[in-house]
Amino acid sequence: MASNLPFDVYALLNFNDAWDASKVQMLDHLVALMYTNDVPQAQRVVAHEVLTQVKNHPDSWRAVDTILATSQSADTKFFALNVLANVISTRWLVLPEQHRTGIKNYVVQLVIKISADEQFATTQKHFLTKLNETLIHIVKQEWPHSWENFISDICGSSKSNQSLCENNLRILKLLSEEVFSFGSDYMVSSKVSRLKDSLTSQFATIYELCDFIFKTHVQSPGAVKPSLLSTALGTLANFLEWIPLGYIFETDLIQTLLVHFWDPLEYRIECARCLNEIACLHEGVQQYQPQLVRCFQGVVEKIQQLPENTPQASAVFQGPERTFWEVFHNQVALLLTAFLKHNMAAMEAQQDYMVRGITYLVKISMGPNEETFKICVEFWQTFSARIFLELQQKKVEKQGGLLLDLGGGPSDIQKSSAKRKRYQPIITEVCHVLISKMAKPPEVTIKENEEGHIVRAEEEDTDEIALYKMMREALIYLTHLNPEGMESIMLQRLTQECLTEGSAERWSPTLLNRLCWAIGSISGAMHEGDEKRFLLSVIKDLLSLCEMKRGKENKAVVASNIMYVVGQYPRFLRAHWRFLKTVIFKLFEFMHESFPGVQEMAVDTFLKISQKCKRKFVTLQAGEQHLFVEEMMSHVAQDISELEHLHVCTYFEAVGYMISAAASDDKERLVAQLMQLFNDKWASLLQSLSSSASAEILQDQQVLRDISLILRVNERMVSAVGAACHKQLAHIYYDMLKIYKACSDFVSQSAAQQGSMVMGHAVVRLMRNVKRDALHLVQTFIDTAAIESTSPEVGLSTEQLAQRFLPPLLEPVLADYRSCLPQARDAEVLDLLATLATRLSESISQEVTKIFEMVFECTCDMIKGDFQSYPDHRSKFYSLLKAINEHCFKALFFLSEAQLKLYVDSLIWAVKHEQPQVADSGLQILEQFIERLLSGPPQVYGPFFQQYYFTLLQDVLCVLTDTLHKAGFKLQQQILLQLINAVESGLLNEVYTKQRVMEFLFDLIGKSFPTLHRSQVEIFVLNCFNKSRQPAVFQQHIRDFLIQLREWGSHEDALYEDARQDARQKAQAAESQWRMQVPGLVPQYDPIRISLEADMDDV
């Protein structure tokens, strides 16, 4: 491959000869290949391979100075600095001292050379930033033990040159971030603690530098570069969260910021950042409350001087001006909310300033920036909750009660109080803002997933959903504080924005949606009588709007909002039967509407109402002749005539929830009555399948779709009604299994004749859907019936359920699974078995050996070849293992030796898996398996650990120390702790001694990580056992060790001697303490016994 290039690229790997300009040109060419688009892939592969080898070569750092001095390519210079940073981070401690000193001096001089020249520093800005980061890598290795004067040197040199000073401040900021923000990720805890202490103790020098810059600017305006002042403020903001509080509150720092850096626009944002860091302080600031209050007053006074309505007006600004105001208002929002969240009581004592501050926050909330709005919403949620809970507490104290009345009754919440009066205008404005910007609530979509199951999928958590939740809570609290005001605002907006003149110009679907989302969000916050009046007004206005609007699209928008609002107020619906009945019949009408989305929302609303109001439909209501659920049976066929299959299933699920609330004696009758329509279809299908042409009929795609629909409708009914469907399931069960077998046979024969390509054929896909639907139906029934098996309507025990439904099921399903081609195996079989193991554990335990034989081994063969194939089988396979581990644990030890080994190997293989979900499943199962094993009798866990202990220990350490499985750290170290604790506590004395395990660990780690010094390995192993009884300390010990692995070598061995001796002494003391508790275990003349008994001479 290298022949495609005009030179021998592997010459770059020779570092025995000095590098010259020709080698640098070769490197330039290789680096350029990585950043050029139209490059042959072969050349790019070679370039990547060689550059990686150059970077990792132990002597590559020797060429860095030549590359930086000779190369004209910015990319090559960055590569050279990456090489240097890699050496500093991983091999620094094994370099000879003169080389370390040479590298340090070279980097320092290069930084000074570039940063001292203002023009050069500007043109080489990005390179200088990378160079600063390289210097920080050195500082973390050398300071403070080998470079004590670093802080004083860098601060001292800063006063000689403003450009140099500006860069030095950036370096100090980087150091602060590395130590305080990211230190725990890259350095051991003891080193982080040492660096923090050093930086804190030497901060006086840094503060003097910042103070010198600020005072020079104040005394001689224009003498200090604006960019230096901005950098100084930015660096100070980074320091303020950790420096001693005296530097903030016992100096004139706050006054300097407010007087000299707030008004000039070029410093205002950085000034606000500094003040925000001060406002966020809450630990240890109690003694500085007066200074903190004066700071808040000063900030509010400055805000009052800002132009009126700037937050709203910034939406019309363009370019840099808009960016400035958006960033500034974001900082002001953070600043004000920080003061009020962390020191609310002190700020509220300043009533005038408090009101003025949050009034401006309302204005900021109206601005266009979404991130700033989220900050404000979070505050309004906290603020409104605080006021409400304070008023409730007063009410509780007055009544002598203990419970909060969250139902929104009349009471003291609506009575005047000084605080509520003071904030009332602000609360009203906040209501207007939140309603006008209401976020969209999470949607529920009815869909068919990859396995063919019908699911109601909620949106995954997104920023908008999180915002909706915050806004909803804020509106709930605000409604409690002023229900009449909230009602008035919402009805007024509904009238103004939706009904005035009915003109198209004023019609805004977006505003209507937001308003209805807000109306739906406050459900339950008003007193029931108030809620009734409010909701009737809302529905009346929305119905009027629906009549006024022309065009299907506009009507659909209004209709969907009516359905949404109605669905959010089940309390109102339960209390008003006629209205509820009207709504349900309106939903039946919408189920015939062809406009996209309307049918889906109609059946979804029908389902939600059925779940919340189910008892109303199975109770005879005043003025009615029949139960509603019986009345609607007569028009089920009409209701579902235009619905898609997915929506038909949801419809039956909704009716199922109604039936679930019926009396026990009525459930089976109602289920049979409702399912008559599909039972007739089932009988008709069976009749046609019983003819001589049954094979051809079963291959009819429409027949297969009809069978799928019947099975899915039954499954949705079972999920809603539960065990009362057992007769309905029994009615179709045996015929369903016959169809299952017929489909299995056809798929297997087709695959045998035509190969795996047949899986894509439409008939085969539909048959596999039928099989999946049958499995899912049984799984759902077992899942619900086993829980309800003691209820009177079932009359079946768990054992009887198992006897009735398992024997005819397992044999054909397991045999089909094993005999199929891998591509034809249904992952739902594994799902079903996991459910059986969970719900029918005693019955299925007898079948575990058979399951392992028929399912386990062939599934392992499918998924062990790589990490990507059969992802569904992979995840469901480990779900099955988890269920067996939890509910059929004892059955595992009746497996043959080969099967048990396969079980353990599969867990280890999962632990090593590159997909986090699979690896996490493996870790969870293994952790629980070991825990349950160790809690059992020694005759069980002894032989097991005799065979697998060292294998488990080695493999867990393997994944713990590699870089691919960081996400599983918590469980990995937990399993390691279990294994070590089992030895430390003496549980495995008959298997392996503590000394044997320690020797194994020492040899394993020493061979696996030759970069570690023997003393480091010894300390690690000793402390694994010393700290095994303190889980949190053990976890930190493992974390520190993993960070150590990134560095080669160590400081002088003497630096580890104290830690090693300390670890030995703690180990000996722990062992002695344990041995002394056993009479006679310690020899009579052991020094430990003598020293302890000497203290008892006087007793």
Side-chain angles (χ1 to χ4, degrees):
M1 290 190 297
S3 60
N4 295 330
L5 297 170
F7 51 84
D8 180 12
V9 293
Y10 295 103
L12 292 175
L13 300 177
N14 179 12
F15 290 93
N16 295 325
D17 301 331
W19 272 48
D20 54 18
S22 62
K23 279 193 174 182
V24 174
Q25 287 180 357
M26 293 162 63
L27 184 65
D28 283 341
H29 186 80
L30 284 185
V31 172
L33 290 177
M34 299 301 297
Y35 291 94
T36 306
N37 292 327
D38 53 345
V39 171
Q41 184 63 23
Q43 292 188 12
R44 195 188 298 274
V45 169
V46 172
H48 181 268
E49 177 189 333
V50 174
L51 291 174
T52 301
Q53 291 183 40
V54 169
K55 182 180 177 182
N56 294 329
H57 196 286
D59 293 323
S60 57
W61 62 273
R62 298 174 183 273
V64 168
D65 57 342
T66 304
I67 297 170
L68 295 179
T70 310
S71 177
Q72 300 301 311
S73 165
D75 293 330
T76 303
K77 290 183 177 181
F78 269 82
F79 173 78
L81 287 180
N82 277 328
V83 169
L84 193 57
N86 184 52
V87 170
I88 295 167
S89 297
T90 60
R91 303 183 58 84
W92 184 257
L93 300 177
V94 298
L95 294 177
E97 184 176 353
Q98 65 269 26
H99 290 169
R100 297 202 300 267
T101 303
I103 293 173
K104 180 176 76 174
N105 291 337
Y106 171 75
V107 173
V108 168
Q109 293 303 318
L110 190 57
V111 169
I112 293 173
K113 176 184 175 182
I114 295 176
S115 61
D117 186 328
E118 184 174 355
Q119 184 176 358
F120 198 23
T122 302
T123 57
Q124 298 288 317
K125 180 179 177 181
H126 299 298
F127 177 70
L128 182 57
T129 299
K130 185 66 180 176
L131 199 57
N132 290 342
E133 292 173 1
T134 307
L135 177 59
I136 291 299
H137 284 302
I138 297 175
V139 171
K140 288 193 295 183
Q141 297 283 5
E142 295 285 290
W143 177 75
H145 57 274
S146 300
W147 196 356
E148 296 179 8
N149 300 326
F150 169 70
I151 297 292
S152 56
D153 287 349
I154 197 170
C155 291
S157 66
S158 297
K159 297 181 181 179
S160 62
N161 180 301
Q162 290 197 31
S163 180
L164 178 63
C165 179
E166 188 174 339
N167 190 63
N168 286 350
L169 286 170
R170 293 196 189 101
I171 292 172
L172 291 171
K173 180 181 178 182
L174 275 175
L175 179 60
S176 172
E177 290 173 346
E178 286 289 321
V179 173
F180 284 91
S181 300
F182 313 119
S184 60
D185 295 333
Y186 300 102
M187 294 179 282
V188 297
S189 53
S190 57
K191 184 174 182 180
V192 173
S193 178
R194 187 167 66 249
L195 290 180
K196 284 183 177 180
D197 291 343
S198 299
L199 199 52
T200 303
S201 64
Q202 297 183 36
F203 179 73
T205 308
I206 301 173
Y207 180 81
E208 287 172 7
L209 174 61
C210 293
D211 190 54
F212 170 76
I213 295 170
F214 295 154
K215 281 187 166 53
T216 302
H217 167 69
V218 172
Q219 293 167 3
S220 306
V224 182
K225 292 194 310 176
S227 61
L228 174 56
L229 287 169
S230 295
T231 302
L233 289 168
T235 303
L236 182 63
N238 198 269
F239 291 151
L240 286 170
E241 65 175 298
W242 56 263
I243 65 175
L245 296 177
Y247 288 109
I248 300 172
F249 297 111
E250 296 175 16
T251 64
D252 60 354
L253 175 62
I254 294 175
Q255 189 68 12
T256 300
L257 290 171
L258 286 170
V259 173
H260 299 289
F261 293 104
W262 179 279
D263 294 329
L265 292 182
E266 61 264 40
Y267 310 129
R268 186 178 290 174
I269 291 175
E270 294 298 339
C271 176
R273 281 190 61 217
C274 290
L275 293 168
N276 177 40
E277 293 296 337
I278 295 171
C280 287
L281 297 171
H282 54 279
E283 291 185 9
V285 298
Q286 289 71 22
Q287 60 180 315
Y288 297 113
Q289 283 293 321
Q291 293 93 321
L292 205 58
V293 168
R294 284 198 294 274
C295 180
F296 176 64
Q297 292 172 338
V299 167
V300 172
E301 287 170 358
K302 288 293 183 182
I303 288 173
Q304 289 289 103
Q305 298 170 14
L306 294 172
E308 192 73 21
N309 296 326
T310 307
Q312 303 96 298
S314 62
V316 300
F317 293 152
Q318 298 295 323
E321 186 179 14
R322 175 168 182 161
T323 301
F324 169 82
W325 283 108
E326 286 191 358
V327 173
F328 173 67
H329 287 133
N330 183 274
Q331 287 298 322
V332 172
L334 288 170
L335 173 57
L336 288 173
T337 55
F339 269 123
L340 299 173
K341 277 195 293 188
H342 298 298
N343 300 278
M344 177 71 85
M347 302 310 144
E348 278 196 318
Q350 311 298 314
Q351 294 183 10
D352 184 47
Y353 287 98
M354 176 78 175
V355 171
R356 284 152 58 187
I358 59 178
T359 299
Y360 195 78
L361 203 57
V362 176
K363 294 180 180 178
I364 293 178
S365 303
M366 299 176 185
N369 188 273
E370 292 182 7
E371 292 304 315
T372 304
F373 179 65
K374 290 175 186 175
I375 295 167
C376 296
V377 170
E378 185 180 1
F379 171 75
W380 296 127
Q381 177 198 22
T382 306
F383 178 70
S384 56
R386 184 187 179 100
I387 299 174
F388 169 71
L389 293 174
E390 283 180 4
L391 292 173
Q392 281 291 90
Q393 189 60 39
K394 290 177 183 177
K395 173 187 171 183
V396 171
E397 291 172 359
K398 182 178 178 182
Q399 296 177 347
L402 296 174
L403 299 175
L404 291 176
D405 174 19
L406 299 180
S411 74
D412 295 342
I413 294 292
Q414 297 162 24
K415 293 182 179 178
S416 297
S417 72
K419 179 176 286 191
R420 194 163 69 88
K421 275 188 175 181
R422 186 164 67 247
Y423 295 135
Q424 192 58 57
I426 295 169
I427 288 173
T428 302
E429 284 299 311
V430 172
C431 291
H432 279 287
V433 174
L434 295 183
I435 292 170
S436 65
K437 291 188 162 193
M438 189 66 194
K440 185 180 181 181
E443 283 188 317
V444 176
T445 307
I446 304 165
K447 64 180 183 180
E448 183 177 343
N449 65 14
E450 293 177 357
E451 290 82 31
H453 301 160
I454 294 168
V455 294
R456 301 179 73 250
E458 290 194 13
E459 283 185 88
E460 295 181 1
D461 284 342
T462 60
D463 288 343
E464 186 173 22
I465 291 176
L467 180 62
Y468 169 78
K469 290 176 180 177
M470 282 195 297
M471 295 180 76
R472 179 186 170 279
E473 289 186 18
L475 284 172
I476 289 283
Y477 287 123
L478 292 169
T479 303
H480 279 297
L481 291 172
N482 185 11
E484 296 89 353
M486 183 66 77
E487 178 183 353
S488 173
I489 292 169
M490 287 183 168
L491 291 177
Q492 184 181 9
R493 291 182 78 92
L494 187 58
T495 301
Q496 288 178 345
E497 296 174 2
C498 304
L499 298 177
T500 303
E501 301 173 4
S503 60
E505 293 77 14
R506 295 190 60 83
W507 163 246
S508 171
T510 301
L511 288 176
L512 178 64
N513 288 338
R514 288 178 177 167
L515 177 58
C516 290
W517 296 337
I519 291 170
S521 73
I522 63 169
S523 172
M526 294 181 180
H527 185 275
E528 192 167 353
D530 297 335
E531 185 177 90
K532 173 184 175 182
R533 182 186 64 248
F534 169 63
L535 190 59
L536 286 173
S537 299
V538 169
I539 298 299
K540 179 184 174 184
D541 286 349
L542 287 174
L543 287 172
S544 299
L545 182 63
C546 194
E547 291 297 322
M548 282 170 40
K549 287 299 159 194
R550 297 291 175 263
K552 275 196 170 185
E553 185 173 354
N554 290 333
K555 285 186 178 292
V557 169
V558 182
S560 65
N561 278 300
I562 293 173
M563 287 188 283
Y564 175 75
V565 170
V566 168
Q568 295 301 111
Y569 285 84
R571 181 175 68 173
F572 173 82
L573 294 176
R574 286 193 296 267
H576 300 85
W577 165 249
R578 294 199 174 278
F579 188 83
L580 171 57
K581 185 177 178 181
T582 303
V583 167
I584 295 297
F585 278 108
K586 195 70 178 173
L587 292 176
F588 291 158
E589 287 182 28
F590 287 144
M591 290 178 194
H592 297 279
E593 176 57 60
S594 59
F595 192 82
V598 175
Q599 287 185 354
E600 181 174 6
M601 189 151 191
V603 293
D604 188 58
T605 306
F606 181 45
L607 176 61
K608 287 194 291 188
I609 292 175
S610 297
Q611 289 171 328
K612 290 290 187 180
C613 309
K614 53 189 175 185
R615 294 192 184 281
K616 305 300 290 185
F617 301 111
V618 291
T619 306
L620 189 62
Q621 303 296 326
E624 300 289 348
Q625 300 296 319
H626 305 283
L627 299 180
F628 180 83
V629 71
E630 292 179 329
E631 180 186 331
M632 66 174 291
M633 300 287 187
S634 62
H635 50 79
V636 167
Q638 180 184 346
D639 293 338
I640 67 172
S641 60
E642 297 183 47
L643 294 179
E644 297 178 13
H645 283 189
L646 297 177
H647 300 150
V648 170
C649 295
T650 306
Y651 178 96
F652 274 81
E653 182 183 2
V655 183
Y657 276 108
M658 295 179 185
I659 295 174
S660 69
S664 300
D665 297 338
D666 294 333
K667 286 185 181 180
E668 290 182 10
R669 176 179 60 82
L670 291 172
V671 168
Q673 194 175 343
L674 176 64
M675 295 302 296
Q676 190 60 48
L677 174 67
F678 281 102
N679 285 342
D680 291 344
K681 286 187 178 181
W682 180 255
S684 175
L685 284 169
L686 291 178
Q687 187 174 359
S688 62
L689 289 172
S690 64
S691 66
S692 57
S694 60
E696 291 77 11
I697 293 173
L698 192 58
Q699 295 174 40
D700 186 302
Q701 295 185 24
Q702 188 55 50
V703 169
L704 291 169
R705 290 192 183 95
D706 289 342
I707 294 173
S708 261
L709 176 60
I710 294 170
L711 296 178
R712 291 177 180 189
V713 166
N714 274 277
E715 189 275 331
R716 289 293 82 201
M717 280 294 296
V718 167
S719 71
V721 181
C725 286
H726 69 98
K727 287 188 178 178
Q728 168 63 24
L729 179 59
H731 175 68
I732 66 170
Y733 194 64
Y734 289 94
D735 292 318
M736 176 185 76
L737 292 178
K738 288 179 183 176
I739 293 175
Y740 181 94
K741 190 171 188 319
C743 290
S744 298
D745 292 343
F746 180 84
V747 172
S748 298
Q749 291 169 11
S750 300
Q753 294 169 4
Q754 304 176 47
S756 59
M757 291 178 57
V758 78
M759 295 303 151
H761 295 178
V763 171
V764 172
R765 286 206 312 270
L766 289 170
M767 284 190 174
R768 294 191 67 192
N769 281 345
V770 168
K771 291 174 62 182
R772 290 169 180 159
D773 292 332
L775 293 170
H776 194 45
L777 170 56
V778 178
Q779 179 189 348
T780 304
F781 176 72
I782 296 296
D783 204 22
T784 54
I787 297 174
E788 302 176 22
S789 59
T790 55
S791 62
E793 66 249 31
V794 181
L796 294 173
S797 65
T798 303
E799 292 75 17
Q800 289 172 320
L801 279 171
Q803 290 170 8
R804 176 176 292 188
F805 290 101
L806 284 189
L809 172 76
L810 285 180
E811 186 61 38
V813 169
L814 296 182
D816 171 62
Y817 187 89
R818 186 170 70 167
S819 63
C820 276
L821 281 177
Q823 296 90 336
R825 289 181 186 140
D826 296 310
E828 285 71 22
V829 172
L830 304 175
D831 250 348
L832 173 60
L833 293 173
T835 300
L836 294 176
T838 303
R839 299 299 183 205
L840 305 176
S841 54
E842 290 188 14
S843 302
I844 205 67
S845 291
Q846 304 165 18
E847 307 288 344
V848 166
T849 302
K850 188 174 184 179
I851 290 172
F852 267 68
E853 180 186 338
M854 305 286 277
V855 171
F856 190 89
E857 295 174 14
C858 61
T859 307
C860 275
D861 291 338
M862 289 169 61
I863 63 178
K864 70 183 182 183
D866 57 48
F867 288 142
Q868 289 81 35
S869 304
Y870 307 105
D872 290 337
H873 292 75
R874 200 177 298 270
S875 62
K876 294 181 192 304
F877 174 71
Y878 285 102
S879 296
L880 171 59
L881 293 193
K882 186 175 183 180
I884 292 174
N885 193 57
E886 284 183 16
H887 303 283
C888 309
F889 181 74
K890 292 180 182 178
L892 291 173
F893 294 93
F894 291 97
L895 298 175
S896 66
E897 188 175 330
Q899 287 177 327
L900 182 60
K901 184 179 187 307
L902 187 59
Y903 176 79
V904 176
D905 288 345
S906 68
L907 294 183
I908 292 173
W909 183 79
V911 166
K912 295 180 177 181
H913 205 286
E914 65 182 19
Q915 292 180 5
Q917 182 184 358
V918 176
D920 193 55
S921 295
L923 289 167
Q924 288 178 19
I925 300 167
L926 183 57
E927 192 263 346
Q928 189 182 55
F929 177 78
I930 293 173
E931 181 182 352
R932 296 194 64 175
L933 191 61
L934 290 171
S935 63
Q939 56 267 32
V940 174
Y941 65 69
F944 177 85
F945 282 119
Q946 181 77 45
Q947 183 173 355
Y948 295 108
Y949 183 84
F950 286 133
T951 301
L952 291 172
L953 194 61
Q954 180 171 342
D955 287 321
V956 169
L957 268 173
C958 174
V959 294
L960 187 62
T961 53
D962 69 24
T963 56
L964 298 175
H965 298 88
K966 292 181 181 179
F969 169 76
K970 185 176 180 180
L971 281 171
Q972 292 160 6
Q973 64 85 29
Q974 178 63 28
I975 294 169
L976 181 62
L977 177 60
Q978 285 177 314
L979 294 172
I980 289 177
N981 215 8
V983 174
E984 175 68 13
S985 62
L987 284 176
L988 301 184
N989 280 348
E990 299 298 321
V991 181
Y992 294 115
T993 65
K994 177 178 175 180
Q995 186 63 31
R996 174 74 182 89
V997 175
M998 292 177 80
E999 289 173 357
F1000 174 83
L1001 276 174
F1002 186 85
D1003 291 341
L1004 175 64
I1005 295 170
K1007 291 175 182 175
S1008 302
F1009 306 103
T1011 61
L1012 291 177
H1013 196 280
R1014 284 180 58 86
S1015 56
Q1016 289 176 283
V1017 180
E1018 189 176 342
I1019 292 168
F1020 170 71
V1021 174
L1022 284 169
N1023 278 329
C1024 278
F1025 288 85
N1026 294 343
K1027 300 176 179 182
S1028 64
R1029 297 178 188 272
Q1030 300 169 282
V1033 178
F1034 181 85
Q1035 184 173 351
Q1036 185 60 54
H1037 170 60
I1038 299 299
R1039 185 178 285 113
D1040 286 349
F1041 175 69
L1042 295 181
I1043 293 171
Q1044 273 186 317
L1045 292 180
R1046 300 175 191 170
E1047 299 184 1
W1048 285 56
S1050 66
H1051 295 286
E1052 300 298 330
D1053 187 48
L1055 292 175
Y1056 285 98
E1057 189 60 31
D1058 289 341
R1060 182 169 57 189
Q1061 292 297 336
D1062 183 56
R1064 277 180 175 170
Q1065 290 172 7
K1066 285 181 179 178
Q1068 292 170 357
E1071 184 175 358
S1072 299
Q1073 185 177 7
W1074 171 73
R1075 289 166 65 85
M1076 283 298 293
Q1077 293 173 4
V1078 183
L1081 193 60
V1082 179
Q1084 293 297 319
Y1085 297 99
D1086 191 280
I1088 298 295
R1089 176 182 284 278
I1090 294 172
S1091 63
L1092 288 173
E1093 291 180 348
D1095 296 334
M1096 302 177 65
D1097 286 347
D1098 296 332
V1099 179

